[in-house]
Amino acid sequence: MEYLEFKISCKEEYREILMAELANIGFDSFLETDKGFDAYIPQEDQDENLWKEVITRYQEEAAIYIEAGILAKINWNEAWEKNYDPIAVADKVYVRATFHPTKFQDYKNEIVINPKMSFGTGHHSTTYLMLEWQNEIDHTGKVVMDAGSGTGILAIMAMKLGADRVTAFDIDEWSVENGKENFEINGFHTLEMQTGNISSVKTEEAYDLILANINKNVLLDEMEAYAKHLLAGGQLLLSGFYESDIPDISEKAKKHGLTLKGKKVRNQWTSLLLKKLD
């Protein structure tokens, strides 16, 4: 499989926004650089019109400069080893790759992720915010759902924080395989990741906590399903959208009996904590 490679220079404050926009149109891997980031997509998956629309929309304000090329093969682990740095969320959790030395003694928890994508490693603000929230929420003995689990990092965090059971799933088969690998690396040999979405996978009757770090459109579409799967008094933790999207997300949540309890913002990205009415 040949990959298209785009070396993108941009203003720092637009780096994560652009990666998210490109992920929504089929780009599956990103490497952050000093000047911006490198973006990769299978050649047959690129939609030229969607690509041009995203770049044109941000070209001027983000000061975008692009160098394009083709890669016949790419060793993601080798590439990540050159570009990937560990992430620390206060003293709560240290997220590192398999090739980094452990710092378990300095943090309450450590998560090891075999790095193949930038989303789901803690580098992206939405994942960072979700991890920050999780470390403020009591998971002990709780039944948790991780919708759109990706690398499985949030499911792993839930288990390390004492969750009794976690239902993890993703629609992307590659992500499911990567998630299973990360579960094994972190010692959760019985933790499974299913392929599918909330309407197609096997779930528990009800959940104490649902985690969903996806994107605005999916969250709006699935809000009713999240509410139905929550116990009375259960919590819903969302991310994957901008601060400007809060009114739309909050309005849809309210229609399904979910009350906004708090928010966190990082680099224009937002994470909301909601609670189902008792």
Side-chain angles (χ1 to χ4, degrees):
M1 177 187 296
E2 289 190 336
Y3 269 77
L4 298 178
E5 177 187 52
F6 297 91
K7 294 183 175 295
I8 301 174
S9 299
C10 64
K11 293 180 179 178
E12 173 64 27
E13 61 267 31
Y14 284 92
R15 187 202 309 252
E16 293 182 349
I17 294 172
L18 286 169
M19 285 196 291
E21 293 280 11
L22 294 178
N24 284 336
I25 63 170
F27 282 76
D28 62 15
S29 299
F30 304 86
L31 297 175
E32 295 191 39
T33 66
D34 292 339
K35 295 182 179 180
F37 61 95
D38 299 341
Y40 300 88
I41 186 171
Q43 190 168 21
E44 64 269 26
D45 291 348
Q46 190 194 28
D47 185 315
E48 189 66 24
N49 291 329
L50 292 177
W51 159 256
K52 288 181 178 178
E53 191 278 326
V54 171
I55 297 304
T56 300
R57 181 157 25 110
Y58 292 96
Q59 183 86 58
E60 186 174 347
E61 58 183 306
I64 295 174
Y65 176 77
I66 301 170
E67 295 180 20
I70 297 178
L71 293 177
K73 293 182 179 179
I74 184 166
N75 185 329
W76 294 115
N77 285 343
E78 180 181 343
W80 268 107
E81 190 163 352
K82 295 177 181 177
N83 292 275
Y84 179 89
D85 293 320
I87 293 295
V89 180
D91 64 344
K92 305 297 184 182
V93 58
Y94 184 67
V95 183
R96 67 176 179 87
T98 51
F99 47 78
H100 291 136
T102 181
K103 287 190 177 181
F104 192 83
Q105 67 278 6
D106 298 326
Y107 298 86
K108 291 184 178 179
N109 284 294
E110 182 175 83
I111 295 176
V112 182
I113 295 294
N114 188 20
K116 294 180 179 177
M117 295 178 70
S118 63
F119 294 132
T121 62
H123 282 81
H124 195 265
S125 289
T126 59
T127 312
Y128 184 98
L129 291 171
M130 293 288 282
L131 290 171
E132 192 173 42
W133 267 123
Q134 281 187 269
N135 279 276
E136 298 175 13
I137 297 172
D138 182 12
H139 286 61
T140 307
K142 300 295 178 62
V143 180
V144 179
M145 173 189 289
D146 181 14
S149 191
T151 60
I153 187 171
L154 303 184
I156 293 167
M157 187 78 267
M159 292 298 292
K160 285 182 174 286
L161 291 172
D164 183 48
R165 298 189 302 281
V166 177
T167 301
F169 54 88
D170 199 286
I171 60 172
D172 184 84
E173 292 186 4
W174 183 91
S175 292
V176 171
E177 290 306 310
N178 185 226
K180 290 178 179 178
E181 180 181 4
N182 291 325
F183 292 162
E184 289 289 330
I185 291 171
N186 287 274
F188 297 113
H189 307 297
T190 60
L191 187 57
E192 295 289 336
M193 188 180 293
Q194 303 177 64
T195 304
N197 59 28
I198 195 169
S199 64
S200 64
V201 299
K202 183 180 179 181
T203 62
E204 303 279 351
E205 288 187 8
Y207 292 86
D208 300 291
L209 173 64
I210 294 178
L211 312 169
N213 181 18
I214 310 178
N215 63 59
K216 177 184 176 181
N217 291 335
V218 173
L219 295 177
L220 291 174
D221 289 342
E222 297 186 348
M223 191 71 70
E224 182 177 4
Y226 299 148
K228 287 182 177 179
H229 279 80
L230 275 177
L231 290 164
Q235 294 175 298
L236 173 63
L237 184 55
L238 303 176
S239 196
F241 51 93
Y242 306 134
E243 187 173 11
S244 59
D245 295 321
I246 291 177
D248 291 340
I249 297 290
S250 299
E251 182 180 354
K252 189 64 175 285
K254 187 176 181 180
K255 289 180 180 178
H256 297 290
L258 299 167
T259 303
L260 181 61
K261 304 300 290 185
K263 74 171 184 178
K264 292 181 182 291
V265 179
R266 188 172 190 257
N267 298 327
Q268 300 182 55
W269 294 94
T270 303
S271 181
L272 300 181
L273 179 63
L274 302 111
K275 184 176 181 180
K276 185 173 181 179
L277 299 177
D278 294 325

